[in-house]
Amino acid sequence: MTDYSLIIPEAVLSASAILVILLGLVLKNKRSLAVISAAALLVSIIAIFVSGKLTGGSEELFYRTMVVDPLSQVFKLVFAAVTLLTVIASIRYYRDHPNQDEYYALLLFATVGMMLAASANDITTLFVGFELASLSTYVLAGFDKKNAFSVEASLKYFLIGSFSSAILLFGLSLVYGTSGGLTNIPDIVKFYSENPAMLTGAIGVITILTLIAGFAFKMALVPFHMWAPDTYQAAPDVVAAMLAAGSKKMGFVAAFRVLLLALIVAKVDIRFTFAILAVLTMTFGNLVAISQRSIKRMLAYSSIAQAGYISMAFVVMSPLAVGGGILLAIGHAFMKGGAFLAVAVVTYMILSDKKDSQGADHLDNFAGLGKRAPVTAFALAVFAFALAGIPPTAGFVGKFVLFSATIETPGYIWLAVIAILNSALSLYYYARLVKYMYVLPPAGDRISEPIPYVAAITLALLVVLIIGLYPEPFIDWSVSAANAIGVR
């Protein structure tokens, strides 16, 4: 008998999004909408834990169009938690905004779309989830309509995102055609395992390349990364946190479920292609991040580099490597989300002084932050070192597992060495940020750090440290997620 309690997270968030819209029509004071949204996300997180699917088991729903397994549950937990942090921070960021109902509804719908993509067991469900999340985030990126840079970033994001969706849809249509009209992902994988020649001919090569390109856009791998820096820099600070921490992970979970499994079963060896993509992505991201004076832009290029590390899982394709990639993706969501929320505090500080947000995230504005905003500065320093892979943090654990699995794979020690050197290179610009916060004199007086920001940043900080200090359950979840998609 089908257990429909497994879709409580999607059902609760969808119903709450509709409720938020309806209440927005009648409420004059809309600040309570944030509480409703946060409560819905908290219920979703609890339902994911209670489901019992984080460490094993799998169940298909709705005529096999959705599947609930460790992979979907781990990423749904990440999506809900990241959105919860965004909502908490938004209590202050958008406390007087007249369109709070639209904002929180879009956040919830975006999360539902990400969850659908994570649970997709059918290529139609996968594309619907992608588009629901994408359309919502296009609007969120330009939600500050009076900010011309935000609107410009939203337009760029929309145009490039639409282009990437078209490429992905073309690849999925080729899958549909070459598999004889199949849409169910396990059925497609079974067909290709019995007919591997379908992926080795000219049409097969085009199919694989378009799928890689489509997913690479979503994951921001070089050379498909061009949308990320402009979008992250100009989007509202709290929205940038969600985009970097949640939206990109949607691309990874879909790629793990569709692309990785198909390539393993069909025995199509394109590991060297992914190895080159990984090297280009991590190296380009780190090199360009060094020259950035905008912290949001630096974090954007750093996020591109992190995507390069995670994509190493597609090269090694072992349970430990894929588990390490998933673990690094989990940690990255909280490290990067927390870092963007910390930048939001600095932006708030600059707006309080100058009433002008242009250049608020410039590196010079972080000088002496350790004295002006000690909690924010400490958290940002931890996030920075975690992103560099310094123990005891989530970044260290994820990189250790992934890099170790790569070293143990014959013929790919060189890839692990390049990744380690890139991690060392990234330490330069992270340490530079910490130097500005703790060594240089402050540019102003101490400020009052808004409680919602501090609460969201503290929660992200706790997760980053807990994963670093007590990694066993998170490693178990990640390896179970890898096993759930048939990685052996």
Side-chain angles (χ1 to χ4, degrees):
M1 184 176 179
T2 303
D3 184 6
Y4 289 106
S5 66
L6 295 174
I7 62 166
I8 286 178
E10 293 90 338
V12 168
L13 294 183
S14 299
S16 299
I18 296 172
L19 177 62
V20 165
I21 293 174
L22 295 177
L23 290 177
L25 298 174
V26 297
L27 293 179
K28 291 185 178 180
N29 187 347
K30 299 182 180 181
R31 295 183 183 179
S32 60
L33 300 181
V35 178
I36 295 173
S37 302
L41 289 161
L42 191 58
V43 170
S44 299
I45 292 172
I46 294 172
I48 293 169
F49 276 109
V50 173
S51 70
K53 300 294 184 182
L54 277 169
T55 56
S58 175
E59 185 163 346
E60 295 177 331
L61 304 168
F62 301 113
Y63 302 98
R64 302 177 67 209
T65 59
M66 292 179 62
V67 62
V68 178
D69 58 13
L71 181 69
S72 67
Q73 297 300 83
V74 164
F75 276 92
K76 286 198 287 187
L77 184 62
V78 170
F79 297 147
V82 166
T83 307
L84 178 60
L85 296 180
T86 303
V87 168
I88 293 172
S90 299
I91 293 174
R92 182 57 180 257
Y93 195 91
Y94 283 119
R95 60 177 178 174
D96 297 319
H97 201 286
N99 303 117
Q100 292 181 58
D101 47 346
E102 299 170 13
Y103 173 75
Y104 290 114
L106 286 169
L107 279 179
L108 296 177
F109 279 131
T111 309
V112 172
M114 296 176 197
M115 289 183 171
L116 284 177
S119 289
N121 202 40
D122 191 281
I123 57 176
T124 54
T125 307
L126 175 68
F127 192 74
V128 169
F130 262 147
E131 290 309 293
L132 177 58
S134 297
L135 291 173
S136 300
T137 52
Y138 296 156
V139 180
L140 288 169
F143 201 76
D144 290 348
K145 293 180 287 186
K146 295 182 180 179
N147 185 337
F149 292 97
S150 180
V151 175
E152 178 187 353
S154 176
L155 181 59
K156 289 179 180 178
Y157 186 26
F158 168 70
L159 292 176
I160 298 176
S162 300
F163 179 64
S164 69
S165 295
I167 292 176
L168 180 61
L169 182 59
F170 180 64
L172 294 176
S173 67
L174 290 176
V175 169
Y176 177 81
T178 56
S179 65
L182 298 175
T183 61
N184 183 265
I185 294 173
D187 290 346
I188 292 171
V189 170
K190 180 181 178 182
F191 173 83
Y192 284 137
S193 66
E194 296 173 351
N195 304 274
M198 296 300 296
L199 286 179
T200 56
I203 297 298
V205 171
I206 295 174
T207 300
I208 293 173
L209 290 178
T210 51
L211 287 177
I212 291 175
F215 285 120
F217 267 110
K218 303 296 183 183
M219 297 183 285
L221 300 181
V222 172
F224 309 101
H225 66 284
M226 66 287 293
W227 62 270
D230 287 345
T231 302
Y232 291 177
Q233 182 183 20
D237 297 329
V238 289
V239 174
M242 183 183 182
L243 292 176
S247 182
K248 281 180 60 176
K249 306 306 174 291
M250 175 181 64
F252 275 104
V253 66
F256 281 134
R257 188 175 296 282
V258 178
L259 192 57
L260 180 63
L261 184 57
L263 295 177
I264 291 175
V265 175
K267 298 180 174 59
V268 177
D269 192 356
I270 58 168
R271 292 192 293 176
F272 188 73
T273 302
F274 264 108
I276 297 302
L277 281 176
V279 170
L280 288 175
T281 302
M282 67 179 75
T283 304
F284 177 84
N286 283 322
L287 288 176
V288 179
I290 290 175
S291 63
Q292 302 303 312
R293 307 296 289 181
S294 162
I295 298 301
K296 289 176 71 176
R297 203 167 184 86
M298 181 268 283
L299 290 174
Y301 281 106
S302 163
S303 185
I304 291 171
Q306 297 288 332
Y309 302 136
I310 298 171
S311 60
M312 291 167 59
F314 294 97
V315 179
V316 182
M317 295 186 183
S318 68
L320 188 61
V322 175
I326 293 171
L327 180 60
L328 185 55
I330 295 171
H332 178 262
F334 293 96
M335 294 182 288
K336 191 65 69 175
F340 272 106
L341 292 178
V343 173
V345 176
V346 178
T347 301
Y348 164 81
M349 175 180 68
I350 300 303
L351 286 173
S352 299
D353 292 341
K354 302 178 181 179
K355 306 300 180 183
D356 181 12
S357 63
Q358 185 64 27
D361 67 324
H362 194 278
L363 183 60
D364 291 341
N365 291 327
F366 288 75
L369 190 66
K371 295 181 179 179
R372 298 193 69 188
V375 176
T376 300
F378 173 76
L380 185 54
V382 173
F383 294 139
F385 286 130
L387 288 165
I390 303 298
T393 61
F396 170 76
V397 174
K399 287 183 178 180
F400 179 80
V401 174
L402 180 56
F403 293 178
S404 298
T406 305
I407 291 173
E408 293 174 358
T409 303
Y412 285 100
I413 294 179
W414 63 270
L415 179 60
V417 171
I418 292 175
I420 292 170
L421 291 175
N422 267 282
S423 291
L425 177 63
S426 69
L427 187 59
Y428 169 77
Y429 56 83
Y430 291 130
R432 180 179 62 190
L433 173 61
V434 176
K435 171 192 170 184
Y436 266 74
M437 292 192 298
Y438 285 101
V439 176
L440 298 186
D445 298 328
R446 180 169 176 171
I447 64 168
S448 176
E449 299 168 88
I451 293 178
Y453 286 133
V454 172
I457 293 170
T458 302
L459 287 174
L461 178 64
L462 288 175
V463 175
V464 170
L465 293 176
I466 289 172
I467 295 177
L469 294 169
Y470 187 57
E472 287 82 1
F474 300 94
I475 294 176
D476 290 342
W477 292 351
S478 301
V479 175
S480 295
N483 291 329
I485 53 177
V487 179
R488 297 290 184 267

